[in-house]
Amino acid sequence: MEKQKRRRGWILVALTLSLALNLAVVAAIMGAAWRHRDDGRGGGARGGAGHAPYIHALPREDRQAVRQTMHRRSGGHAGFVEMLEALRREPFDPRAAQAVLDAQRADIMTRQEAARRVWLDRVGAMSAAERSAYADRLEEVLERRRHWRAEREGR
């Protein structure tokens, strides 16, 4: 009986650590998305989302189209409401919290895929001159990002 209680304790610790790691990943993704918004207040070339420079270098109307696609496909705050409920439930059920995180991760992946398709459609519709200008803007964004990281790291 004591052995079973100890094993259950380790399972709870493992599930809690998994939950914490998943929350950290979701927070990092959401933070990167927030830093890369284009409303005149934030980032652009800063942060870590892999596709953000591609979007930031697009012409304004194309950036808006990609972001609108991502927002339309967003699950909104439903996942956060479910997580708040799971966190407040007694006894705490790590599996319920994990299910919320899994749903949020699936939603993020769906939005990223939709944004990728819109981006590729927009770039594919560009003329050679427009793509060249886009490549120049992308290079500038990446260079600013590199300088920003170097400053942040004190190089």
Side-chain angles (χ1 to χ4, degrees):
M1 189 65 116
E2 183 65 33
K3 199 180 211 180
Q4 191 176 14
K5 282 185 180 181
R6 272 189 284 170
R7 188 167 27 151
R8 205 177 295 157
W10 280 108
I11 290 172
L12 182 60
V13 168
L15 288 171
T16 302
L17 288 173
S18 175
L19 171 64
L21 180 60
N22 280 306
L23 283 172
V25 168
V26 169
I29 291 169
M30 298 303 284
W34 182 80
R35 282 192 309 272
H36 291 296
R37 69 193 187 285
D38 186 36
D39 60 2
R41 292 181 291 161
R46 302 185 324 193
H51 66 278
Y54 294 128
I55 294 170
H56 186 73
L58 285 170
R60 179 180 213 92
E61 62 277 0
D62 292 336
R63 279 194 312 263
Q64 289 172 339
V66 171
R67 289 189 178 118
Q68 286 173 352
T69 297
M70 291 182 74
H71 290 299
R72 273 194 309 270
R73 296 183 186 272
S74 172
H77 294 289
F80 294 106
V81 171
E82 291 170 1
M83 181 58 78
L84 291 171
E85 291 171 358
L87 290 170
R88 291 185 173 123
R89 192 172 302 128
E90 284 298 330
F92 176 68
D93 181 3
R95 282 177 250 138
Q98 182 69 47
V100 174
L101 290 173
D102 290 345
Q104 287 175 329
R105 180 177 34 196
D107 178 58
I108 289 167
M109 298 306 280
T110 299
R111 286 187 283 144
Q112 284 181 338
E113 183 57 35
R116 219 176 324 222
R117 284 192 306 269
V118 171
W119 177 87
L120 192 55
D121 289 345
R122 295 292 176 138
V123 172
M126 290 178 182
S127 68
E130 289 169 327
R131 274 194 318 280
S132 180
Y134 170 69
D136 292 344
R137 286 190 307 275
L138 178 58
E139 191 171 38
E140 289 171 14
V141 167
L142 293 171
E143 187 63 21
R144 284 193 310 261
R145 181 183 212 182
R146 189 179 68 74
H147 285 296
W148 180 83
R149 282 190 175 152
E151 284 178 16
R152 187 180 75 184
E153 294 171 1
R155 290 188 208 162

